[in-house]
Amino acid sequence: MAYRDLRDYLKVVESKGLLHRIRVEVDPVLEISAVTNRVSKGPKGGKALFFEKVKGSDYPVVTNIFGSFERMCLALETGRLDDIAARITDLMTQAPPKTLLEKLSILPKLLEFSSFLPKTVKDAPCQEIIEKDDPDLGRFPILKCWPGDGQATDEGRFITLPMVFTRDPETGSPNCGMYRVHVYDKNTTGMHWHIHKDGARHFDRHKALKQRMPVAIAVGSDPAVIYAATAPMPEAIDEMLFAGFLRRAPVEMVKCITSGISVPANSELVIEGHIDPEETRLEGPFGDHTGFYSHAGCYPVFHVTCITHRKDLVYPATIVGKPPMEDCYMAKATERIFLPLMRLDFPEIKDINLPMEGVFHNCCLISIKKSYPGHAKKIIHGLWGMGQMMFSKLLIVVDDDVDVQDIPYTAWRVLNNVDWKRDMVIADGPLDDLDHAANFPRYGSKMGIDATRKSREEGMTREWPQELSMSGDIALLVKKRWKEYGFPD
Ligand SMILES: Cc1cc2nc3c(=O)[nH]c(=O)nc-3n(C[C@H](O)[C@H](O)[C@H](O)COP(=O)(O)O)c2cc1C
């Protein structure tokens, strides 16, 4: 059964002993962030945190709701993240039906998929309270996360777990992306969609048409919907359809009060408004996923026209910073779920691993079934051309007998198997907006390493050596006699 909303999920998390309630009053300025950061660094990502009394607001705050493998699986209602990948593979690997019987046999699959389409409803919990006359963001427990967040002219508060809904002005197709929201004052914010993202593309189209852009920011929904806002979906696929697939039930959507944008009906808080395509303002700095402050930059300005919310709203937030943090677990879900989509273009990919220390885009380990000279280099160039994989600063390709989830073993194979001049690819290209190391924003160099076994055609003039392993009979003998040698089992 899909979670009805955020609080339904929190109930389950609490019933499993995975939520810690903090009953004393806490400050949304830095204190909640400091507590969350410390808990996130604990064993297995710590617990979700429910701050019941927040200084200056009537509403509680919840953080770290996705911050462990266990909660990430619970959020997406799966025993293992790989099981979602298997569902996607099953959906995509249907061979074209030839006979009538085969055609009939795929009907249930198609019917099931169509049942995940978002549904429009009229009455929505997120519109229990409607504030149109004097909408004021100051009433909500919006956090300041790190001391250097924001400009001297504002309080440095950011909405950190928002779902930003926009629409293509030409086709009407919707998008939902998670882009942090810098609060400038009671009814003005920044809109931090990076230029590579779908929200920015919708913005560019409004700008070209000289049209004001309606936007709605929803905060708090059932966890599959929140996660879907972060998923690197192709522009043509609605994140709410993907959320429906994840939760195996359609997402109920409701029209905003002041625009035609639709938002999840079960949201805790919805901020409606618009962007004038010609207006920009300095956004940031912000203590970011990388563990460093991302620089301030010019971004569009969002004007709030209406705020709607649930009577007893629960405000969810995330704190990002030096890994491991909650966002690392969301990235791990993406790594697992998107592997089958990568395999559509590159069936030779066996597995991938984006280590948490690489904060999503800085490093990706890939194992492949190598079939021809230069195969690993094809994968490197191919992945740099694939959606948000273009941000990967380091791609390391190994043979399929390497388990890339085993980082020490992979490192050993890579460090011993590489001739750097022969096996390294360095290329210039787009970089993630958050990269602070390149000479220019959003543009710089990236590296690919081909750490697969090399053939003569690839320039290797010597025999590739054999990896050490003990002969089977001796290994068995030693196993049998282990106790005899005086070791415990
Ligand atoms: C907690 C969190 C915060 C994020 N903040 C931003 C942000 O401020 N700007 C941005 O462009 N992407 C941000 N992202 C990444 C996007 O959500 C992600 O790239 C997503 O796929 C974008 O959706 P889109 O492809 O529909 O544009 C964030 C991700 C997470 C998990």
Side-chain angles (χ1 to χ4, degrees), residues 295-333:
H295 298 298
C298 275
Y299 280 87
V301 180
F302 174 74
H303 295 277
V304 181
T305 50
C306 177
I307 295 178
T308 73
H309 63 93
R310 296 176 74 146
K311 270 188 202 135
D312 49 351
L313 92 89
V314 176
Y315 178 85
T318 187
I319 314 301
V320 298
K322 291 179 195 162
M325 295 292 249
E326 179 174 20
D327 53 334
C328 298
Y329 298 94
M330 298 165 94
K332 278 286 161 194

Side-chain angles (χ1 to χ4, degrees), residues 212-216 258 272-276 279 301-305:
R212 192 188 244 195
M213 178 180 189
V215 178
T258 58
E272 304 181 8
H274 56 78
I275 286 173
D276 168 356
E279 186 185 9
V301 180
F302 174 74
H303 295 277
V304 181
T305 50

Side-chain angles (χ1 to χ4, degrees), residues 6 10 19 48-51 60-65 314-318:
L6 174 66
L10 293 178
L19 183 139
L49 299 173
F50 195 100
F51 298 91
V61 170
V62 63
T63 62
N64 209 23
I65 59 174
V314 176
Y315 178 85
T318 187

Side-chain angles (χ1 to χ4, degrees), residues 50-221:
F50 195 100
F51 298 91
E52 293 185 354
K53 251 189 249 162
V54 181
K55 192 172 161 189
S57 178
D58 295 336
Y59 307 110
V61 170
V62 63
T63 62
N64 209 23
I65 59 174
F66 296 108
S68 70
F69 283 112
E70 190 176 4
R71 285 202 296 291
M72 201 61 239
C73 288
L74 209 55
L76 301 182
E77 294 172 275
T78 183
R80 292 174 339 129
L81 295 168
D82 283 316
D83 292 344
I84 300 176
R87 278 181 68 211
I88 294 179
T89 306
D90 181 47
L91 202 68
M92 291 182 319
T93 50
Q94 179 75 52
K98 291 192 188 90
T99 64
L100 181 63
L101 207 64
E102 281 175 0
K103 281 180 188 157
L104 287 175
S105 74
I106 65 163
L107 270 181
K109 231 186 221 180
L110 291 178
L111 275 178
E112 190 200 357
F113 195 68
S114 67
S115 73
F116 304 143
L117 286 166
K119 228 165 72 180
T120 301
V121 296
K122 287 233 154 59
D123 288 327
C126 70
Q127 293 176 345
E128 277 170 0
I129 307 283
I130 299 173
E131 293 163 18
K132 251 170 83 173
D133 295 336
D134 185 25
D136 181 359
L137 291 170
R139 294 203 307 105
F140 304 100
I142 298 170
L143 308 185
K144 175 171 182 161
C145 301
W146 295 99
D149 286 358
Q151 305 285 310
T153 48
D154 65 65
E155 293 180 336
R157 297 196 194 226
F158 286 76
I159 301 173
T160 54
L161 206 61
M163 296 165 281
V164 177
F165 288 85
T166 56
R167 228 180 20 198
D168 185 311
E170 282 157 4
T171 63
S173 64
N175 187 67
C176 171
M178 183 167 291
Y179 320 117
R180 74 178 185 227
V181 176
H182 183 168
V183 177
Y184 297 134
D185 56 44
K186 70 178 202 174
N187 55 14
T188 325
T189 80
M191 187 50 71
H192 185 252
W193 43 52
H194 302 156
I195 58 170
H196 314 106
K197 306 294 172 73
D198 294 342
R201 265 190 282 282
H202 284 181
F203 171 78
D204 292 341
R205 286 172 201 151
H206 280 88
K207 192 167 176 171
L209 294 166
K210 296 188 181 357
Q211 279 178 10
R212 192 188 244 195
M213 178 180 189
V215 178
I217 302 164
V219 185
S221 178

